Amino acid sequence: MSTTFQLDTATSRANPTPAPMKRLTVPKVMQRKKDGTTEEPLVMLTAYTARMAQLLDAHCDILLVGDSLGQVIYGLPSTLPVTLDMMVAHGAAVVRGSYQSLVVIDMPFGSYEASPQQAFASASRIMAETGAAAVKLEGGVAMAETVRFLSQRGIPVMGHVGLTPQAVNALGGYMARGRSEAEEARIVEDGKAVADAGAFAVVVEGVVEDIAITLTRELAVPTIGIGGSAQCDGQVLVAEDMLGMFERTPRFVKRYNDLARIISDTAGEFAAEVRSRSFPGEAQVYKAK
Protein backbone atom coordinates (compact mmCIF):
# COMPACT_ATOMS: atom_id res chain seq x y z
CA MET A 1 0.00 0.00 0.00
CA SER A 2 1.19 3.49 -0.84
CA THR A 3 -0.12 6.77 0.46
CA THR A 4 -1.10 9.22 -2.24
CA PHE A 5 -3.62 12.01 -2.53
CA GLN A 6 -7.15 11.54 -3.78
CA LEU A 7 -9.58 14.34 -4.44
CA ASP A 8 -12.70 14.24 -2.31
CA THR A 9 -15.28 15.17 -4.93
CA ALA A 10 -17.75 16.11 -2.20
CA THR A 11 -15.51 18.89 -0.90
CA SER A 12 -13.01 19.44 -3.74
CA ARG A 13 -10.21 18.93 -1.22
CA ALA A 14 -7.25 16.60 -1.51
CA ASN A 15 -7.01 14.12 1.34
CA PRO A 16 -4.23 11.58 2.02
CA THR A 17 -5.71 8.21 1.14
CA PRO A 18 -4.00 4.80 1.33
CA ALA A 19 -4.41 3.21 -2.08
CA PRO A 20 -2.70 0.37 -3.93
CA MET A 21 -0.57 1.83 -6.70
CA LYS A 22 -1.08 -0.12 -9.90
CA ARG A 23 0.49 2.26 -12.37
CA LEU A 24 1.51 1.14 -15.81
CA THR A 25 5.29 1.18 -15.97
CA VAL A 26 7.71 2.15 -18.72
CA PRO A 27 8.80 -1.48 -19.29
CA LYS A 28 5.17 -2.56 -19.56
CA VAL A 29 4.49 0.16 -22.11
CA MET A 30 7.39 -1.11 -24.19
CA GLN A 31 6.19 -4.70 -23.81
CA ARG A 32 2.84 -3.80 -25.36
CA LYS A 33 4.64 -3.87 -28.70
CA LYS A 34 5.64 -7.44 -29.46
CA ASP A 35 7.35 -8.56 -32.64
CA GLY A 36 6.70 -5.19 -34.20
CA THR A 37 2.96 -5.03 -33.49
CA THR A 38 0.71 -3.74 -30.70
CA GLU A 39 -2.47 -5.74 -30.26
CA GLU A 40 -4.16 -3.19 -28.00
CA PRO A 41 -3.22 0.41 -28.87
CA LEU A 42 -2.00 2.68 -26.10
CA VAL A 43 -4.38 5.45 -25.00
CA MET A 44 -2.85 8.78 -24.04
CA LEU A 45 -4.53 12.08 -23.19
CA THR A 46 -3.22 15.32 -21.76
CA ALA A 47 -4.02 16.35 -18.20
CA TYR A 48 -2.97 19.49 -16.36
CA THR A 49 -4.94 19.35 -13.10
CA ALA A 50 -5.59 16.81 -10.36
CA ARG A 51 -9.33 16.65 -11.06
CA MET A 52 -8.90 16.10 -14.79
CA ALA A 53 -6.31 13.41 -14.06
CA GLN A 54 -8.77 11.71 -11.74
CA LEU A 55 -11.46 11.68 -14.43
CA LEU A 56 -9.18 10.45 -17.22
CA ASP A 57 -7.06 7.99 -15.26
CA ALA A 58 -9.37 4.97 -15.52
CA HIS A 59 -9.52 5.27 -19.30
CA CYS A 60 -5.88 5.96 -20.17
CA ASP A 61 -2.61 4.10 -20.23
CA ILE A 62 -0.59 7.32 -20.22
CA LEU A 63 -1.37 10.82 -18.99
CA LEU A 64 0.74 13.50 -20.63
CA VAL A 65 1.31 16.76 -18.81
CA GLY A 66 1.88 18.61 -22.05
CA ASP A 67 3.44 22.01 -22.53
CA SER A 68 0.24 22.64 -24.48
CA LEU A 69 -0.96 23.87 -21.09
CA GLY A 70 0.55 27.16 -22.21
CA GLN A 71 -2.31 27.67 -24.65
CA VAL A 72 -5.00 25.59 -22.93
CA ILE A 73 -4.60 26.84 -19.36
CA TYR A 74 -2.71 30.12 -19.62
CA GLY A 75 -3.91 31.53 -22.95
CA LEU A 76 -0.39 31.90 -24.31
CA PRO A 77 0.16 32.13 -28.09
CA SER A 78 2.45 29.05 -28.20
CA THR A 79 4.27 26.59 -25.97
CA LEU A 80 7.48 28.65 -26.01
CA PRO A 81 6.80 30.78 -22.88
CA VAL A 82 6.02 27.75 -20.71
CA THR A 83 8.42 27.44 -17.79
CA LEU A 84 9.88 24.55 -15.86
CA ASP A 85 8.06 25.80 -12.75
CA MET A 86 4.73 25.52 -14.61
CA MET A 87 5.46 21.97 -15.71
CA VAL A 88 6.51 20.91 -12.21
CA ALA A 89 3.42 22.41 -10.56
CA HIS A 90 0.96 20.87 -13.00
CA GLY A 91 2.86 17.60 -13.18
CA ALA A 92 2.68 17.14 -9.42
CA ALA A 93 -1.06 17.82 -9.50
CA VAL A 94 -1.63 15.18 -12.19
CA VAL A 95 0.39 12.59 -10.28
CA ARG A 96 -1.68 13.29 -7.16
CA GLY A 97 -4.90 12.87 -9.11
CA SER A 98 -4.05 9.55 -10.79
CA TYR A 99 -3.45 5.97 -9.72
CA GLN A 100 -2.98 3.72 -12.73
CA SER A 101 -1.71 5.76 -15.68
CA LEU A 102 1.94 6.30 -16.48
CA VAL A 103 2.50 10.05 -16.08
CA VAL A 104 4.82 11.70 -18.60
CA ILE A 105 5.80 15.38 -18.36
CA ASP A 106 6.92 17.58 -21.23
CA MET A 107 10.25 19.30 -20.86
CA PRO A 108 9.59 22.94 -21.80
CA PHE A 109 11.44 24.95 -24.41
CA GLY A 110 14.87 26.05 -23.23
CA SER A 111 15.14 23.50 -20.43
CA TYR A 112 17.08 20.79 -22.29
CA GLU A 113 18.44 21.88 -25.67
CA ALA A 114 21.75 23.42 -24.54
CA SER A 115 23.39 20.19 -23.41
CA PRO A 116 22.69 16.72 -22.01
CA GLN A 117 23.80 18.04 -18.64
CA GLN A 118 21.21 20.83 -18.74
CA ALA A 119 18.59 18.29 -19.74
CA PHE A 120 19.52 16.02 -16.83
CA ALA A 121 19.27 18.88 -14.34
CA SER A 122 15.80 19.79 -15.64
CA ALA A 123 14.53 16.23 -15.96
CA SER A 124 15.79 15.16 -12.54
CA ARG A 125 14.02 18.14 -10.97
CA ILE A 126 10.79 17.26 -12.78
CA MET A 127 10.87 13.66 -11.62
CA ALA A 128 11.96 14.42 -8.05
CA GLU A 129 9.36 17.14 -7.48
CA THR A 130 6.39 15.54 -9.25
CA GLY A 131 6.68 11.78 -8.85
CA ALA A 132 6.19 11.29 -12.59
CA ALA A 133 7.70 8.28 -14.32
CA ALA A 134 9.11 9.88 -17.47
CA VAL A 135 9.76 13.04 -19.42
CA LYS A 136 9.10 13.90 -23.06
CA LEU A 137 11.28 16.04 -25.28
CA GLU A 138 11.05 17.18 -28.88
CA GLY A 139 13.63 16.63 -31.58
CA GLY A 140 15.26 13.84 -33.53
CA VAL A 141 18.87 13.37 -34.56
CA ALA A 142 19.94 16.56 -32.76
CA MET A 143 18.49 15.28 -29.47
CA ALA A 144 19.63 11.66 -29.72
CA GLU A 145 22.71 12.26 -27.56
CA THR A 146 20.53 13.87 -24.89
CA VAL A 147 18.02 11.01 -24.98
CA ARG A 148 20.86 8.53 -24.52
CA PHE A 149 22.40 10.57 -21.70
CA LEU A 150 19.12 10.69 -19.77
CA SER A 151 18.17 7.07 -20.44
CA GLN A 152 21.53 5.80 -19.24
CA ARG A 153 21.03 7.73 -16.01
CA GLY A 154 17.66 6.27 -15.14
CA ILE A 155 15.35 8.88 -16.66
CA PRO A 156 12.88 7.33 -19.12
CA VAL A 157 12.38 9.52 -22.18
CA MET A 158 9.50 9.68 -24.64
CA GLY A 159 10.57 11.13 -28.00
CA HIS A 160 8.60 13.48 -30.23
CA VAL A 161 9.21 13.89 -33.97
CA GLY A 162 7.45 15.32 -37.00
CA LEU A 163 5.60 18.51 -36.21
CA THR A 164 7.40 19.75 -33.11
CA PRO A 165 5.51 22.75 -31.66
CA GLN A 166 8.55 24.14 -29.81
CA ALA A 167 10.20 24.62 -33.22
CA VAL A 168 7.21 26.47 -34.67
CA ASN A 169 9.29 29.51 -35.61
CA ALA A 170 11.85 27.41 -37.47
CA LEU A 171 9.16 25.34 -39.16
CA GLY A 172 7.14 28.39 -40.18
CA GLY A 173 3.86 27.24 -38.66
CA TYR A 174 1.85 24.22 -37.59
CA MET A 175 1.24 22.64 -41.00
CA ALA A 176 1.67 18.92 -41.64
CA ARG A 177 5.21 17.76 -42.18
CA GLY A 178 6.77 15.28 -44.59
CA ARG A 179 5.23 16.35 -47.90
CA SER A 180 8.60 16.28 -49.69
CA GLU A 181 10.82 13.22 -50.05
CA ALA A 182 13.68 14.97 -48.27
CA GLU A 183 11.55 15.94 -45.29
CA GLU A 184 10.00 12.48 -45.12
CA ALA A 185 13.46 10.89 -44.99
CA ARG A 186 14.53 13.35 -42.29
CA ILE A 187 11.53 12.61 -40.05
CA VAL A 188 12.02 8.85 -40.39
CA GLU A 189 15.71 9.33 -39.54
CA ASP A 190 14.72 11.43 -36.51
CA GLY A 191 12.37 8.75 -35.21
CA LYS A 192 14.95 6.03 -35.60
CA ALA A 193 17.63 8.16 -33.94
CA VAL A 194 15.71 8.80 -30.72
CA ALA A 195 14.46 5.20 -30.54
CA ASP A 196 17.97 3.87 -31.02
CA ALA A 197 19.18 6.28 -28.34
CA GLY A 198 16.85 4.74 -25.78
CA ALA A 199 13.47 6.47 -26.03
CA PHE A 200 10.81 4.07 -24.73
CA ALA A 201 8.15 5.46 -27.09
CA VAL A 202 7.95 8.11 -29.80
CA VAL A 203 5.16 10.61 -30.44
CA VAL A 204 4.67 11.14 -34.17
CA GLU A 205 2.81 14.39 -34.74
CA GLY A 206 1.29 16.06 -37.77
CA VAL A 207 2.94 14.01 -40.52
CA VAL A 208 1.86 12.51 -43.81
CA GLU A 209 0.34 9.15 -42.93
CA ASP A 210 2.94 7.08 -44.78
CA ILE A 211 5.63 8.40 -42.44
CA ALA A 212 3.71 7.36 -39.33
CA ILE A 213 3.15 3.91 -40.81
CA THR A 214 6.82 3.54 -41.72
CA LEU A 215 7.99 4.53 -38.25
CA THR A 216 5.47 2.21 -36.61
CA ARG A 217 6.70 -0.70 -38.69
CA GLU A 218 10.40 0.03 -38.29
CA LEU A 219 10.71 1.11 -34.65
CA ALA A 220 10.93 -1.55 -31.96
CA VAL A 221 9.32 0.86 -29.46
CA PRO A 222 5.69 2.04 -29.60
CA THR A 223 4.72 5.02 -31.73
CA ILE A 224 1.98 7.30 -30.47
CA GLY A 225 0.19 9.22 -33.19
CA ILE A 226 -1.37 12.65 -33.15
CA GLY A 227 -2.22 13.49 -36.69
CA GLY A 228 -0.32 10.39 -37.77
CA SER A 229 -2.13 7.14 -38.55
CA ALA A 230 -4.56 4.68 -36.99
CA GLN A 231 -1.80 2.12 -37.51
CA CYS A 232 0.37 3.77 -34.83
CA ASP A 233 0.80 1.80 -31.62
CA GLY A 234 -1.23 4.38 -29.71
CA GLN A 235 -2.97 7.74 -29.99
CA VAL A 236 -2.85 10.99 -28.04
CA LEU A 237 -5.00 14.12 -28.08
CA VAL A 238 -5.21 17.26 -26.01
CA ALA A 239 -8.12 16.38 -23.73
CA GLU A 240 -9.74 19.80 -24.10
CA ASP A 241 -9.73 19.44 -27.90
CA MET A 242 -11.28 15.98 -27.62
CA LEU A 243 -13.95 17.30 -25.24
CA GLY A 244 -14.87 20.22 -27.49
CA MET A 245 -13.69 23.04 -25.25
CA PHE A 246 -12.58 25.17 -28.20
CA GLU A 247 -14.45 26.30 -31.29
CA ARG A 248 -11.50 25.67 -33.58
CA THR A 249 -9.75 22.33 -33.54
CA PRO A 250 -6.98 20.89 -35.72
CA ARG A 251 -7.87 18.56 -38.57
CA PHE A 252 -6.56 15.51 -36.70
CA VAL A 253 -8.86 16.07 -33.72
CA LYS A 254 -12.23 14.41 -33.32
CA ARG A 255 -14.54 16.38 -31.01
CA TYR A 256 -16.27 13.75 -28.89
CA ASN A 257 -18.44 16.28 -27.08
CA ASP A 258 -19.28 19.99 -26.97
CA LEU A 259 -18.22 20.87 -23.45
CA ALA A 260 -17.82 24.55 -24.32
CA ARG A 261 -21.53 24.82 -25.09
CA ILE A 262 -22.50 22.83 -21.99
CA ILE A 263 -20.40 25.08 -19.74
CA SER A 264 -21.66 28.27 -21.36
CA ASP A 265 -25.31 27.16 -21.16
CA THR A 266 -24.91 26.12 -17.52
CA ALA A 267 -23.25 29.41 -16.57
CA GLY A 268 -26.07 31.22 -18.36
CA GLU A 269 -28.67 29.33 -16.35
CA PHE A 270 -26.87 30.19 -13.11
CA ALA A 271 -26.61 33.85 -14.08
CA ALA A 272 -30.32 34.03 -14.88
CA GLU A 273 -31.26 32.53 -11.51
CA VAL A 274 -28.96 34.91 -9.64
CA ARG A 275 -30.44 37.93 -11.42
CA SER A 276 -33.99 36.78 -10.77
CA ARG A 277 -33.11 36.02 -7.12
CA SER A 278 -34.30 32.43 -7.50
CA PHE A 279 -30.84 31.24 -6.44
CA PRO A 280 -30.06 30.49 -3.70
CA GLY A 281 -33.32 28.78 -2.86
CA GLU A 282 -34.56 27.20 0.35
CA ALA A 283 -32.36 24.15 -0.21
CA GLN A 284 -29.19 26.21 -0.41
CA VAL A 285 -29.51 28.48 2.67
CA TYR A 286 -29.01 27.86 6.39
CA LYS A 287 -31.74 28.47 8.98
CA ALA A 288 -31.23 29.25 12.65
CA LYS A 289 -33.31 26.18 13.65
Side-chain angles (χ1 to χ4, degrees), residues 134-152:
V135 298
K136 181 170 78 65
L137 57 80
E138 296 181 8
V141 172
M143 286 294 110
E145 180 186 356
T146 296
V147 172
R148 181 173 290 107
F149 190 89
L150 296 180
S151 299
Q152 290 177 345

Side-chain angles (χ1 to χ4, degrees), residues 114-190:
S115 68
Q117 290 75 19
Q118 182 206 26
F120 181 80
S122 298
S124 59
R125 181 191 166 195
I126 287 173
M127 297 189 70
E129 295 185 23
T130 67
V135 298
K136 181 170 78 65
L137 57 80
E138 296 181 8
V141 172
M143 286 294 110
E145 180 186 356
T146 296
V147 172
R148 181 173 290 107
F149 190 89
L150 296 180
S151 299
Q152 290 177 345
R153 286 158 179 78
I155 297 179
V157 179
M158 178 178 284
H160 184 152
V161 301
L163 173 56
T164 48
Q166 291 178 8
V168 61
N169 291 322
L171 296 174
Y174 295 101
M175 50 286 236
R177 316 306 304 179
R179 296 192 184 278
S180 70
E181 289 185 8
E183 189 175 43
E184 176 177 355
R186 186 162 59 251
I187 293 170
V188 171
E189 182 183 13
D190 282 341

Side-chain angles (χ1 to χ4, degrees), residues 121 203 233 249:
V203 170
D233 301 299
T249 52

